[in-house]
Amino acid sequence: MHYLTVSFTHKNTDICVREKLSFNSEEKSRNFMDKLKACDQMNEVILLSTCNRVEIVASVSHCSASLDYIFDLLSYVSDVSKEELEGRADIYEDNGAIHHLFSVCASLDSLVIGETQIAGQLKNAFQFAFENGYCGQKLGRAMHHAFRCAAEVRGRTDISKSPVSVSSVAVSKAKDLLGNLGGLTALVVGAGEMSQLAAKHLISSGVNIIIINRNLEHAQALATELGELATVAPYAKLTEYINRYRLVFTATGAPHSVITNDMVEEREFSRYWFDIAVPRDIDVKGHENLHVYAVDDLEEIVNKNMSLREEQAKIAYSIIGRSTMEF
């Protein structure tokens, strides 16, 4: 038995390819994992798909045969050539796979070092795989050790203090561009985790927010939770509202763009739109005074964040190294 991980992240794969690799629905994930498990070499498998990474974590009987099957299947579902996928992927086996898993869970491999979302995303991926019979004891043991290691990293370092997420980095970028955001109004499209985080950071900066979501009840529930600075608008108002306000933050789970060129009207004032979804929510170009920032455009702020946490990361990696050897 071997541990095997195939990893596509912001480090090795640009957002255009990550969009094609994204598993943004339970049905798509289930179909892919059913096909993975059909391979005789694949014993257990977990699929992690977030805005910054796609990871296939597996227990296999033969690494090279399993890799060949994984890349064939990924190429089929993503319409990206097998050769390109093989050239981009980071591949980890046995000790390396465990070390990588622990690093991911402790958020040391994240775009934003120390962000707090990844452990929860990994728990959800593990729970889905376990409850649907895609993984069992082998990967279960590895995952429980990963969660314990991540908890030790959080407890013994300052790496997750003042937690930072891609959503908060987007709000920080807006502050860099506009200065004090207090009193402005921002449109938040979507009501999922990333949208919630963006909304909370905006409100903490004194921004009034309007939430638009296909499910109006979810939007209203989020607005109620956020308080008096948050209101809700129906999804039918999306085109009207994106042309009214300077700030737009989008993070829906849609498999396609929700804001397109035909919806955009020219305006004399500058607009700043932050697309923190993968696949991207915004597909517009060629509009004067409109500036669109996707996940990969936030690297500058992220890099500043990484340098501040570098010393804490060294301590964290020593914990991960020891935990890997203990496992």
Side-chain angles (χ1 to χ4, degrees):
M1 192 281 295
H2 301 275
Y3 289 106
L4 175 68
T5 295
V6 178
S7 173
F8 299 91
T9 72
H10 59 279
K11 295 178 179 178
N12 58 27
T13 307
D14 60 46
I15 195 169
C16 295
V17 177
R18 294 206 310 274
E19 285 176 330
K20 295 177 181 178
L21 290 171
S22 176
F23 292 86
N24 52 10
S25 73
E26 185 176 306
E27 181 183 5
K28 186 176 180 181
S29 297
R30 195 185 298 276
N31 289 340
F32 181 70
M33 294 170 80
D34 282 341
K35 290 181 172 66
L36 281 179
K37 284 281 286 184
C39 174
D40 292 338
Q41 308 292 337
M42 304 280 291
N43 303 320
E44 300 180 21
V45 64
I46 295 170
L47 174 64
L48 174 66
S49 181
T50 75
C51 63
N52 287 318
R53 68 179 60 247
V54 172
E55 305 259 350
I56 299 165
V57 184
S59 162
V60 304
S61 54
H62 193 280
C63 286
S64 61
S66 299
L67 280 171
D68 195 52
Y69 185 85
I70 288 169
F71 283 122
D72 278 335
L73 186 57
L74 271 178
S75 178
Y76 174 76
V77 301
S78 67
D79 201 29
V80 178
S81 73
K82 182 179 180 181
E83 291 73 19
E84 180 173 359
L85 294 174
E86 289 175 327
R88 289 183 179 275
D90 287 326
I91 298 166
Y92 305 91
E93 298 179 14
D94 296 325
N95 282 1
I98 295 300
H99 189 277
H100 177 70
L101 173 64
F102 289 7
S103 299
V104 169
C105 193
S107 83
L108 291 187
D109 197 61
S110 296
L111 176 65
V112 181
I113 300 295
E115 56 95 359
T116 54
Q117 294 156 273
I118 187 64
Q121 292 166 331
L122 201 49
K123 283 180 181 176
N124 290 339
F126 169 51
Q127 183 178 3
F128 177 80
F130 187 82
E131 291 178 351
N132 288 279
Y134 298 118
C135 77
Q137 183 181 21
K138 296 296 184 184
L139 289 185
R141 285 183 64 245
M143 294 302 298
H144 287 305
H145 275 75
F147 297 137
R148 283 203 294 272
C149 177
E152 185 177 354
V153 168
R154 288 194 300 272
R156 291 184 52 197
T157 73
D158 294 333
I159 203 164
S160 293
K161 288 191 176 176
S162 301
V164 181
S165 65
V166 172
S167 298
S168 69
V169 169
V171 176
S172 294
K173 183 66 174 178
K175 289 179 181 177
D176 286 349
L177 293 165
L178 293 172
N180 184 5
L181 301 180
L184 294 180
T185 297
L187 184 65
V188 176
V189 185
E193 183 180 10
M194 298 291 281
S195 298
Q196 291 177 36
L197 287 168
K200 288 176 181 176
H201 286 291
L202 286 165
I203 285 174
S204 69
S205 300
V207 179
N208 300 289
I209 64 167
I210 301 170
I211 304 167
I212 286 184
N213 189 53
R214 287 187 187 276
N215 187 314
L216 193 61
E217 288 184 6
H218 290 172
Q220 189 59 62
L222 177 57
T224 301
E225 177 188 339
L226 293 171
E228 61 183 12
L229 290 182
T231 57
V232 169
Y235 195 81
K237 294 277 190 180
L238 180 60
T239 298
E240 176 186 341
Y241 277 46
I242 62 171
N243 291 298
R244 180 183 296 183
Y245 297 105
R246 299 180 70 186
L247 285 173
V248 175
F249 293 77
T250 70
T252 76
H256 49 73
S257 302
V258 297
I259 299 175
T260 52
N261 260 326
D262 59 301
M263 300 167 66
V264 182
E265 301 169 9
E266 300 301 334
R267 290 290 182 266
E268 293 184 1
F269 58 88
S270 294
R271 288 178 284 179
Y272 303 92
W273 292 0
F274 296 87
D275 185 349
I276 49 180
V278 176
R280 283 172 288 187
D281 283 333
I282 300 173
D283 182 16
V284 302
K285 60 184 68 175
H287 294 279
E288 193 174 357
N289 296 325
L290 174 57
H291 311 277
V292 180
Y293 299 88
V295 169
D296 288 2
D297 298 316
L298 304 173
E299 287 277 6
E300 182 181 348
I301 295 175
V302 169
N303 289 336
K304 291 179 184 177
N305 171 268
M306 287 175 66
S307 64
L308 291 172
R309 299 182 184 214
E310 189 174 331
E311 288 303 315
Q312 295 300 307
K314 290 177 182 176
I315 300 171
Y317 272 119
S318 70
I319 295 170
I320 289 168
R322 191 197 69 245
S323 297
T324 300
M325 294 309 297
E326 286 175 355
F327 178 79

